[in-house]
Amino acid sequence: SKLISEWVTPETAHKWIYDAVLGHTIKTEDNAKCVSVIYANNEKHVDLPIYAEKDGEYYLAIKGKGWIKNNPKKISLWFKERNALSSGSDFRKAVRYLKAWKDKRENDSKALKLFGGFQLSILASDYFPDSYDNLEEMYFKLVDKINNNSWAYPSLENPINNEQDTIEYYSETRIKIFKEEFAKMYEQAKDAYDETDSSKKHTKWTKIFGDRFPEPTDDENGTKNCEAPLVIKGTTDISKTSGRQA
């Protein structure tokens, strides 16, 4: 088989995919690590990372960087094993909550680009709380630990390749904006967590999660000391992430 140096460039591979999907939806973007197909009035997208395989190893086409070793199957296995360590698949739920916040903020502000799903998964893994009584407490303890971490320009180590920083291609501006947005979300989460009236609590959590956070039931309405279920509608299966550092 050809040497990696003899492969087409990532730029060429990206152009092939970009040209193939261009015009089928409202918008198509050619990013450094994937081609994004945007649809549903700019509210949803599908990322198409480009992989090549050689001698059992997988390589991701990154424009300006080359073909970088990256194995999505190992990432999927890591996610499943990490989730199995948590009670009731709570790790998966924690990632889903962070992703729901990310989706809402990016939908509210189209120019905003926060960390990718893989990076949010790593944050959830690194700072997952040791103990909690319910999912609301789990989420608040998670974001509290992340917010209190003194990361100025953090490295987020790839769990299957500790030599790789998954945000090494992020600009300082993107990292700074993420920190600012996360700090704002933390203050909102603290306010919602401290709230004892279920109706008010729902309104406050909705500021973070949008309409993916369900209305309280009739039995919960007006009660005090409500334990918010934090059930987020829809799915966010990060186990199928490409790990492309989106």
Side-chain angles (χ1 to χ4, degrees):
S1 61
K2 289 185 178 181
L3 298 174
I4 296 175
S5 60
E6 297 175 324
W7 291 357
V8 299
T9 65
E11 289 75 12
T12 297
H14 272 246
K15 188 175 188 306
W16 288 345
I17 302 302
Y18 179 84
D19 289 346
V21 298
L22 183 64
H24 289 279
T25 63
I26 187 172
K27 187 178 180 183
T28 304
E29 294 179 348
D30 188 5
N31 304 308
K33 307 167 196 72
C34 66
V35 174
S36 296
V37 178
I38 301 166
Y39 63 101
N41 197 29
N42 253 9
E43 294 183 358
K44 298 181 184 297
H45 71 277
V46 174
D47 290 335
L48 303 174
I50 304 162
Y51 282 93
E53 185 270 338
K54 179 178 174 61
D55 300 329
E57 296 286 353
Y58 293 86
Y59 297 82
L60 176 65
I62 302 180
K63 294 195 306 182
K65 299 293 182 180
W67 292 92
I68 306 301
K69 188 179 291 187
N70 188 300
N71 193 326
K73 293 183 179 180
K74 290 182 179 178
I75 292 171
S76 177
L77 179 61
W78 165 79
F79 188 95
K80 291 175 181 176
E81 290 177 344
R82 180 64 182 86
N83 186 55
L85 295 175
S86 65
S87 173
S89 294
D90 286 352
F91 171 69
R92 184 187 300 273
K93 294 170 186 174
V95 175
R96 185 177 298 164
Y97 302 152
L98 291 174
K99 186 65 163 56
W101 160 69
K102 162 189 164 70
D103 289 347
K104 182 178 185 302
R105 282 300 296 124
E106 290 183 343
N107 284 334
D108 289 345
S109 179
K110 302 302 183 184
L112 191 64
K113 195 167 182 62
L114 302 174
F115 282 10
F118 187 39
Q119 286 72 21
L120 296 179
S121 298
I122 296 171
L123 283 173
S125 177
D126 289 350
Y127 297 100
F128 196 82
D130 296 325
S131 63
Y132 49 89
D133 292 329
N134 54 61
L135 292 177
E136 182 185 40
E137 184 180 8
M138 179 270 286
Y139 182 74
F140 176 71
K141 283 187 172 182
L142 170 66
V143 297
D144 184 55
K145 288 179 72 174
I146 296 173
N147 191 67
N148 288 333
N149 181 35
S150 59
W151 41 295
Y153 289 99
S155 62
L156 283 181
E157 184 179 288
N158 189 327
I160 64 169
N161 179 4
N162 58 19
E163 295 181 355
Q164 182 184 46
D165 176 9
T166 65
I167 59 172
E168 63 182 318
Y169 301 121
Y170 284 4
S171 67
E172 292 186 0
T173 299
R174 184 172 179 179
I175 295 173
K176 178 175 180 290
I177 289 173
F178 177 83
K179 286 179 57 185
E180 292 172 348
E181 291 293 329
F182 195 94
K184 293 175 187 176
M185 183 269 285
Y186 166 74
E187 292 299 330
Q188 292 176 317
K190 185 177 187 304
D191 188 34
Y193 180 70
D194 291 340
E195 181 58 62
T196 58
D197 180 270
S198 65
S199 180
K200 293 179 180 178
K201 181 185 286 289
H202 168 264
T203 298
K204 291 177 179 181
W205 279 120
T206 299
K207 292 179 180 178
I208 298 173
F209 300 122
D211 58 11
R212 292 177 69 177
F213 186 68
E215 293 279 356
T217 65
D218 291 341
D219 289 340
E220 291 171 336
N221 272 318
T223 62
K224 301 296 181 182
N225 300 317
C226 168
E227 293 184 356
L230 246 67
V231 176
I232 302 297
K233 294 185 290 184
T235 59
T236 303
D237 191 355
I238 303 301
S239 70
K240 294 182 173 61
T241 179
S242 69
R244 66 188 175 280
Q245 303 125 15

PDB file of all heavy atoms in Angstrom, residues 2 25 52 57 71 83-84 88 93 100 117 125-126 141 148 159 186 201 221 244:
ATOM      1  N   LYS A   2       0.268   2.359  -0.343  1.00  0.00           N
ATOM      2  CA  LYS A   2       1.011   3.607  -0.426  1.00  0.00           C
ATOM      3  C   LYS A   2       1.485   4.070   0.944  1.00  0.00           C
ATOM      4  O   LYS A   2       0.852   3.814   1.975  1.00  0.00           O
ATOM      5  CB  LYS A   2       0.135   4.703  -1.030  1.00  0.00           C
ATOM      6  CG  LYS A   2      -0.147   4.547  -2.513  1.00  0.00           C
ATOM      7  CD  LYS A   2      -0.930   5.754  -3.022  1.00  0.00           C
ATOM      8  CE  LYS A   2      -1.185   5.666  -4.507  1.00  0.00           C
ATOM      9  NZ  LYS A   2      -1.936   6.856  -5.004  1.00  0.00           N
ATOM     10  N   THR A  25     -28.250  21.015   1.228  1.00  0.00           N
ATOM     11  CA  THR A  25     -28.925  21.629   2.378  1.00  0.00           C
ATOM     12  C   THR A  25     -28.681  23.129   2.355  1.00  0.00           C
ATOM     13  O   THR A  25     -28.068  23.664   1.427  1.00  0.00           O
ATOM     14  CB  THR A  25     -28.412  21.044   3.710  1.00  0.00           C
ATOM     15  OG1 THR A  25     -27.012  21.351   3.848  1.00  0.00           O
ATOM     16  CG2 THR A  25     -28.601  19.527   3.762  1.00  0.00           C
ATOM     17  N   ALA A  52      -8.784   7.655   6.890  1.00  0.00           N
ATOM     18  CA  ALA A  52      -8.124   6.655   6.050  1.00  0.00           C
ATOM     19  C   ALA A  52      -7.542   5.584   6.975  1.00  0.00           C
ATOM     20  O   ALA A  52      -7.220   5.874   8.135  1.00  0.00           O
ATOM     21  CB  ALA A  52      -7.031   7.282   5.204  1.00  0.00           C
ATOM     22  N   GLU A  57      -4.435   0.958  11.546  1.00  0.00           N
ATOM     23  CA  GLU A  57      -4.494   2.257  12.224  1.00  0.00           C
ATOM     24  C   GLU A  57      -5.332   3.219  11.398  1.00  0.00           C
ATOM     25  O   GLU A  57      -5.352   3.151  10.167  1.00  0.00           O
ATOM     26  CB  GLU A  57      -3.094   2.843  12.423  1.00  0.00           C
ATOM     27  CG  GLU A  57      -2.184   2.036  13.340  1.00  0.00           C
ATOM     28  CD  GLU A  57      -2.570   2.175  14.801  1.00  0.00           C
ATOM     29  OE1 GLU A  57      -3.446   2.999  15.119  1.00  0.00           O
ATOM     30  OE2 GLU A  57      -1.987   1.459  15.641  1.00  0.00           O
ATOM     31  N   ASN A  71      -8.326   7.102  16.304  1.00  0.00           N
ATOM     32  CA  ASN A  71      -9.136   5.896  16.183  1.00  0.00           C
ATOM     33  C   ASN A  71     -10.498   6.076  16.842  1.00  0.00           C
ATOM     34  O   ASN A  71     -10.616   6.002  18.071  1.00  0.00           O
ATOM     35  CB  ASN A  71      -8.410   4.708  16.811  1.00  0.00           C
ATOM     36  CG  ASN A  71      -9.068   3.385  16.441  1.00  0.00           C
ATOM     37  OD1 ASN A  71     -10.278   3.300  16.286  1.00  0.00           O
ATOM     38  ND2 ASN A  71      -8.254   2.360  16.296  1.00  0.00           N
ATOM     39  N   ASN A  83     -18.674   5.097  31.010  1.00  0.00           N
ATOM     40  CA  ASN A  83     -20.068   5.168  31.421  1.00  0.00           C
ATOM     41  C   ASN A  83     -20.425   4.015  32.356  1.00  0.00           C
ATOM     42  O   ASN A  83     -21.203   4.179  33.304  1.00  0.00           O
ATOM     43  CB  ASN A  83     -20.979   5.155  30.197  1.00  0.00           C
ATOM     44  CG  ASN A  83     -22.429   5.370  30.541  1.00  0.00           C
ATOM     45  OD1 ASN A  83     -22.777   6.354  31.188  1.00  0.00           O
ATOM     46  ND2 ASN A  83     -23.286   4.454  30.130  1.00  0.00           N
ATOM     47  N   ALA A  84     -19.848   2.847  32.101  1.00  0.00           N
ATOM     48  CA  ALA A  84     -20.142   1.675  32.931  1.00  0.00           C
ATOM     49  C   ALA A  84     -19.657   1.850  34.368  1.00  0.00           C
ATOM     50  O   ALA A  84     -20.171   1.202  35.282  1.00  0.00           O
ATOM     51  CB  ALA A  84     -19.500   0.431  32.312  1.00  0.00           C
ATOM     52  N   GLY A  88     -26.121   3.886  36.939  1.00  0.00           N
ATOM     53  CA  GLY A  88     -27.266   4.199  36.089  1.00  0.00           C
ATOM     54  C   GLY A  88     -26.940   4.974  34.842  1.00  0.00           C
ATOM     55  O   GLY A  88     -27.744   5.784  34.374  1.00  0.00           O
ATOM     56  N   LYS A  93     -25.424  10.717  30.997  1.00  0.00           N
ATOM     57  CA  LYS A  93     -26.383  11.784  31.265  1.00  0.00           C
ATOM     58  C   LYS A  93     -25.658  13.107  31.495  1.00  0.00           C
ATOM     59  O   LYS A  93     -26.097  14.158  31.033  1.00  0.00           O
ATOM     60  CB  LYS A  93     -27.251  11.421  32.468  1.00  0.00           C
ATOM     61  CG  LYS A  93     -28.168  10.228  32.224  1.00  0.00           C
ATOM     62  CD  LYS A  93     -28.838   9.758  33.503  1.00  0.00           C
ATOM     63  CE  LYS A  93     -29.632   8.482  33.253  1.00  0.00           C
ATOM     64  NZ  LYS A  93     -30.179   7.911  34.512  1.00  0.00           N
ATOM     65  N   ALA A 100     -26.508  19.618  25.905  1.00  0.00           N
ATOM     66  CA  ALA A 100     -27.757  20.371  25.784  1.00  0.00           C
ATOM     67  C   ALA A 100     -27.499  21.856  26.018  1.00  0.00           C
ATOM     68  O   ALA A 100     -28.052  22.713  25.306  1.00  0.00           O
ATOM     69  CB  ALA A 100     -28.789  19.849  26.782  1.00  0.00           C
ATOM     70  N   GLY A 117     -18.207  18.015  21.348  1.00  0.00           N
ATOM     71  CA  GLY A 117     -18.773  16.985  22.206  1.00  0.00           C
ATOM     72  C   GLY A 117     -17.722  16.100  22.857  1.00  0.00           C
ATOM     73  O   GLY A 117     -17.880  15.661  24.009  1.00  0.00           O
ATOM     74  N   SER A 125     -15.700  13.449  32.360  1.00  0.00           N
ATOM     75  CA  SER A 125     -14.948  12.331  32.924  1.00  0.00           C
ATOM     76  C   SER A 125     -13.956  12.809  33.978  1.00  0.00           C
ATOM     77  O   SER A 125     -13.850  12.223  35.060  1.00  0.00           O
ATOM     78  CB  SER A 125     -14.200  11.595  31.806  1.00  0.00           C
ATOM     79  OG  SER A 125     -13.413  10.547  32.329  1.00  0.00           O
ATOM     80  N   ASP A 126     -13.238  13.888  33.663  1.00  0.00           N
ATOM     81  CA  ASP A 126     -12.199  14.387  34.572  1.00  0.00           C
ATOM     82  C   ASP A 126     -12.770  14.925  35.880  1.00  0.00           C
ATOM     83  O   ASP A 126     -12.119  14.844  36.930  1.00  0.00           O
ATOM     84  CB  ASP A 126     -11.386  15.487  33.893  1.00  0.00           C
ATOM     85  CG  ASP A 126     -10.477  14.946  32.791  1.00  0.00           C
ATOM     86  OD1 ASP A 126     -10.343  13.705  32.687  1.00  0.00           O
ATOM     87  OD2 ASP A 126      -9.913  15.756  32.024  1.00  0.00           O
ATOM     88  N   LYS A 141     -22.654  19.553  40.996  1.00  0.00           N
ATOM     89  CA  LYS A 141     -21.317  19.260  41.500  1.00  0.00           C
ATOM     90  C   LYS A 141     -20.307  19.168  40.365  1.00  0.00           C
ATOM     91  O   LYS A 141     -19.147  19.587  40.504  1.00  0.00           O
ATOM     92  CB  LYS A 141     -21.325  17.958  42.306  1.00  0.00           C
ATOM     93  CG  LYS A 141     -21.914  18.086  43.706  1.00  0.00           C
ATOM     94  CD  LYS A 141     -21.721  16.799  44.494  1.00  0.00           C
ATOM     95  CE  LYS A 141     -22.123  16.980  45.950  1.00  0.00           C
ATOM     96  NZ  LYS A 141     -21.898  15.743  46.735  1.00  0.00           N
ATOM     97  N   ASN A 148     -14.394  25.580  39.244  1.00  0.00           N
ATOM     98  CA  ASN A 148     -13.399  25.899  40.266  1.00  0.00           C
ATOM     99  C   ASN A 148     -11.989  25.474  39.889  1.00  0.00           C
ATOM    100  O   ASN A 148     -11.030  25.799  40.596  1.00  0.00           O
ATOM    101  CB  ASN A 148     -13.779  25.243  41.598  1.00  0.00           C
ATOM    102  CG  ASN A 148     -14.965  25.921  42.257  1.00  0.00           C
ATOM    103  OD1 ASN A 148     -15.212  27.100  42.046  1.00  0.00           O
ATOM    104  ND2 ASN A 148     -15.713  25.175  43.055  1.00  0.00           N
ATOM    105  N   PRO A 159      -8.175  10.680  26.173  1.00  0.00           N
ATOM    106  CA  PRO A 159      -8.133   9.520  27.062  1.00  0.00           C
ATOM    107  C   PRO A 159      -7.548   8.263  26.431  1.00  0.00           C
ATOM    108  O   PRO A 159      -7.177   7.331  27.146  1.00  0.00           O
ATOM    109  CB  PRO A 159      -9.604   9.308  27.444  1.00  0.00           C
ATOM    110  CG  PRO A 159     -10.378   9.958  26.351  1.00  0.00           C
ATOM    111  CD  PRO A 159      -9.556  11.126  25.917  1.00  0.00           C
ATOM    112  N   TYR A 186     -22.524  28.384  34.964  1.00  0.00           N
ATOM    113  CA  TYR A 186     -22.354  27.926  36.342  1.00  0.00           C
ATOM    114  C   TYR A 186     -23.192  28.770  37.296  1.00  0.00           C
ATOM    115  O   TYR A 186     -23.847  28.236  38.200  1.00  0.00           O
ATOM    116  CB  TYR A 186     -20.881  27.983  36.750  1.00  0.00           C
ATOM    117  CG  TYR A 186     -20.700  27.838  38.240  1.00  0.00           C
ATOM    118  CD1 TYR A 186     -20.874  26.604  38.861  1.00  0.00           C
ATOM    119  CD2 TYR A 186     -20.384  28.944  39.029  1.00  0.00           C
ATOM    120  CE1 TYR A 186     -20.744  26.477  40.237  1.00  0.00           C
ATOM    121  CE2 TYR A 186     -20.255  28.818  40.399  1.00  0.00           C
ATOM    122  CZ  TYR A 186     -20.431  27.587  41.005  1.00  0.00           C
ATOM    123  OH  TYR A 186     -20.314  27.460  42.359  1.00  0.00           O
ATOM    124  N   LYS A 201     -37.791  26.690  39.842  1.00  0.00           N
ATOM    125  CA  LYS A 201     -36.619  25.882  39.512  1.00  0.00           C
ATOM    126  C   LYS A 201     -36.648  25.495  38.033  1.00  0.00           C
ATOM    127  O   LYS A 201     -35.634  25.584  37.333  1.00  0.00           O
ATOM    128  CB  LYS A 201     -36.591  24.630  40.392  1.00  0.00           C
ATOM    129  CG  LYS A 201     -35.381  23.722  40.142  1.00  0.00           C
ATOM    130  CD  LYS A 201     -35.485  22.442  40.953  1.00  0.00           C
ATOM    131  CE  LYS A 201     -35.209  22.688  42.428  1.00  0.00           C
ATOM    132  NZ  LYS A 201     -33.766  22.977  42.668  1.00  0.00           N
ATOM    133  N   ASN A 221     -45.605  20.677  40.849  1.00  0.00           N
ATOM    134  CA  ASN A 221     -45.868  22.106  40.791  1.00  0.00           C
ATOM    135  C   ASN A 221     -46.193  22.660  42.166  1.00  0.00           C
ATOM    136  O   ASN A 221     -47.050  22.145  42.877  1.00  0.00           O
ATOM    137  CB  ASN A 221     -47.036  22.403  39.847  1.00  0.00           C
ATOM    138  CG  ASN A 221     -46.573  22.578  38.420  1.00  0.00           C
ATOM    139  OD1 ASN A 221     -45.561  23.221  38.178  1.00  0.00           O
ATOM    140  ND2 ASN A 221     -47.286  21.990  37.476  1.00  0.00           N
ATOM    141  N   ARG A 244     -12.732  14.024  16.689  1.00  0.00           N
ATOM    142  CA  ARG A 244     -11.972  14.836  15.730  1.00  0.00           C
ATOM    143  C   ARG A 244     -11.599  16.189  16.300  1.00  0.00           C
ATOM    144  O   ARG A 244     -11.065  17.025  15.590  1.00  0.00           O
ATOM    145  CB  ARG A 244     -12.808  15.027  14.458  1.00  0.00           C
ATOM    146  CG  ARG A 244     -14.046  15.844  14.718  1.00  0.00           C
ATOM    147  CD  ARG A 244     -14.983  15.896  13.541  1.00  0.00           C
ATOM    148  NE  ARG A 244     -16.170  16.594  13.906  1.00  0.00           N
ATOM    149  CZ  ARG A 244     -17.157  16.055  14.593  1.00  0.00           C
ATOM    150  NH1 ARG A 244     -17.088  14.813  14.973  1.00  0.00           N
ATOM    151  NH2 ARG A 244     -18.218  16.763  14.921  1.00  0.00           N
TER     152      ARG A 244
END
